Amino acid sequence: MTYNINESIKNQKVKYTILGEEKENNLLDLLKNKYNLIYFYPKDLTPGCSLQAENLTENFGILKEQDIGIIGVSIDSCKRHQKFTEKYNIPFILISDEEKTIVEDFGVWVEKSMYGKKYMGTKRTSFIVDKKGKVLAIIDKPKTKEHAEQILKEIKKLEE
């Protein structure tokens, strides 16, 4: 199953943090690698999201060798992303989607339930896309401690 990222989203200016610095660019301009992981996660500095970021950070070199770029997306502010980046030494881009346009376009802004209470939130999901914004694979339920391994398996399938 492949499809393209919505043109308006690809060309939308996004605010992001990289290495503790706040920047702004079109999403398409951030897709610089042969493969680009766009991973959506609920919230900075929470246990599951921290484990996932640590796994990707620990395996950053291996993923980079395979020409895989990493872009994290949450509805947190760039200021919160900066704290997250500093605490876990995150070497990749974290997009701030406070307006929820990207999470909605990717279909990951969903109704959730906890202790019987319903609320809207980001569904942890990962997309592997090419430089032009074509979605090549989706990891519907990333495992926070094994995410890099899941990504490499998906890339291997794509190259077979």
Side-chain angles (χ1 to χ4, degrees):
M1 171 212 300
T2 60
Y3 64 90
N4 291 314
I5 298 171
N6 182 319
E7 287 298 319
S8 64
I9 295 296
K10 282 196 287 192
N11 296 312
Q12 175 185 329
K13 288 265 189 214
V14 294
K15 290 181 183 176
Y16 64 95
T17 302
I18 178 129
L19 304 174
E21 189 177 331
E22 188 175 326
K23 297 187 177 191
E24 191 171 328
N25 208 338
N26 291 340
L27 178 59
L28 188 61
D29 292 337
L30 301 177
L31 305 178
K32 297 182 179 189
N33 297 76
K34 179 177 180 183
Y35 301 110
N36 299 276
L37 174 76
I38 301 177
Y39 84 96
F40 293 88
Y41 63 98
K43 192 169 181 67
D44 290 343
L45 301 165
T46 58
C49 298
S50 297
L51 285 171
Q52 186 176 22
E54 285 178 309
N55 176 263
L56 293 172
T57 298
E58 288 167 6
N59 291 285
F60 183 73
I62 294 166
L63 296 168
K64 192 173 180 179
E65 285 172 12
Q66 299 293 316
D67 202 13
I68 304 167
I70 304 171
I71 299 171
V73 182
S74 80
I75 63 168
D76 291 307
S77 67
C78 280
K79 187 175 182 179
R80 189 161 173 100
H81 281 339
Q82 287 172 339
K83 289 177 187 174
F84 193 40
T85 298
E86 289 167 12
K87 183 170 183 175
Y88 293 100
N89 297 312
I90 297 169
F92 46 82
I93 292 169
L94 296 178
I95 292 176
S96 172
D97 187 25
E98 291 181 279
E99 294 82 24
K100 302 174 186 76
T101 53
I102 301 170
V103 293
E104 287 177 354
D105 188 65
F106 275 82
V108 298
W109 186 248
V110 299
E111 185 177 270
K112 295 174 138 188
S113 178
M114 185 182 288
Y115 308 117
K117 184 179 178 184
K118 294 185 187 255
Y119 63 97
M120 295 299 289
T122 304
K123 179 183 176 201
R124 189 182 310 278
T125 311
S126 293
F127 296 80
I128 298 171
V129 302
D130 68 11
K131 290 180 183 182
K132 295 178 183 173
K134 182 178 178 183
V135 177
L136 305 172
I138 300 171
I139 302 172
D140 196 39
K141 294 181 181 175
K143 297 177 182 171
T144 56
K145 294 181 183 179
E146 301 166 22
H147 197 189
E149 186 179 314
Q150 287 178 294
I151 296 160
L152 292 169
K153 283 181 183 174
E154 286 299 322
I155 297 298
K156 189 174 180 181
K157 285 184 208 173
L158 291 170
E159 293 183 340
E160 288 178 347

